[in-house]
Amino acid sequence: MTAALREDFKEILRLIRPGSRVLDIGCGEGELLDLLAREKQVDGQGLEISPSGVSACLAKGISAVQGDGDKDLDHFPTAAFDYAILSKTLQQMREPRHVLSELLRIADRAVVSVPNFGHWRVRWALLTTGRMPETKALPEPWWSTPNIHLCTLRDFTDLCEELDLRIEACAAVGRGQPARAIDPSRALENWRAETALFLLTRDRPAETKTPAGATLNGDLFG
């Protein structure tokens, strides 16, 4: 199954509690929601900008509505979901700061994955070619990429700190490689992690906070 082949989907499956209320923003054709419904019996809903994606979800029996994550999250009630998922989509948003804040308004926790523009392959390509890099995580050329707000791990953790969000867990994920738990505040991981997946919440007890605002729970990731 396509969804089962993606390492970030596998890690999201590990994070979500059975029977949870889940909103998947940018759900595509519903592969992740279908996986979560079968394996975790979630009460899932998708938000997808593409009419064909919504139609594909409905054909699978998945609840989905057409909408733009940049504009339509504001219309969801506060605390309507247990989890809001944004998988490799935040960098495509026009207002990523607002979107990230809204995720933690409408849900108790957010699962967010982002490509890391600080990865060593990106730095090396810029250094050696002087051109915008194309990697496994960022495969499109600059003139056709949907990514308009790329960031590094350091950028993302700084934004979480600014928004008073707690990083409950973080894992580096890559195509064909098992996920590994990381501390995103470490400078080395800003070089090593090609894509990072975060579990976020607004609840941030002072006694568990690290200088970068990250609290890492190894039990959340294998």
Side-chain angles (χ1 to χ4, degrees):
M1 178 177 299
T2 302
L5 297 177
R6 282 182 52 170
E7 291 299 326
D8 57 335
F9 282 9
K10 292 179 184 178
E11 293 310 303
I12 293 170
L13 180 64
R14 290 166 64 88
L15 285 175
I16 302 300
R17 294 172 180 168
S20 299
R21 299 166 299 163
V22 176
L23 176 66
D24 185 8
I25 298 102
C27 65
E29 297 186 352
E31 293 92 344
L32 178 57
L33 285 172
D34 183 52
L35 180 66
L36 290 171
R38 288 185 293 101
E39 299 293 332
K40 291 294 182 76
Q41 296 75 50
V42 305
D43 178 8
Q45 182 174 335
L47 181 69
E48 171 58 37
I49 198 169
S50 163
S52 61
V54 173
S55 296
C57 288
L58 297 177
K60 297 175 183 176
I62 297 169
S63 175
V65 295
Q66 187 177 1
D68 185 341
D70 262 311
K71 302 175 181 178
D72 295 324
L73 293 181
D74 295 355
H75 303 307
F76 284 90
T78 298
F81 298 93
D82 299 307
Y83 297 90
I85 300 173
L86 196 66
S87 179
K88 297 183 180 178
T89 306
L90 186 67
Q91 74 279 359
Q92 299 176 14
M93 297 296 183
R94 291 185 295 275
E95 300 288 343
R97 185 181 187 278
H98 175 71
V99 169
L100 191 59
S101 182
E102 281 295 283
L103 295 182
L104 270 302
R105 179 189 65 80
I106 64 179
D108 294 334
R109 287 178 169 83
V111 179
V112 180
S113 61
V114 292
N116 175 27
F117 205 68
H119 186 252
W120 70 267
R121 293 186 189 276
V122 174
R123 301 184 194 220
W124 180 249
L126 285 170
L127 178 66
T128 58
T129 69
R131 298 177 182 273
M132 285 295 289
E134 296 178 32
T135 67
K136 290 180 180 179
L138 300 167
E140 298 290 334
W142 70 268
W143 45 266
S144 66
T145 179
N147 301 319
I148 58 176
H149 284 112
L150 291 165
C151 68
T152 69
L153 260 64
R154 182 175 298 174
D155 292 324
F156 187 84
T157 55
D158 284 350
L159 180 57
C160 289
E161 181 76 12
E162 181 181 336
L163 294 174
D164 198 30
L165 305 182
R166 179 162 65 100
I167 299 173
E168 288 195 342
C170 181
V173 294
R175 187 178 302 175
Q177 300 176 353
R180 58 184 179 85
I182 65 171
D183 179 348
S185 67
R186 294 184 60 202
L188 179 61
E189 297 299 350
N190 203 26
W191 285 77
R192 294 178 63 193
E194 188 170 18
T195 298
L197 189 147
F198 295 84
L199 177 65
L200 306 172
T201 181
R202 281 202 182 277
D203 178 28
R204 193 172 67 178
E207 65 272 13
T208 62
K209 184 174 64 175
T210 70
T215 57
L216 304 177
N217 185 340
D219 293 337
L220 292 174
F221 292 97

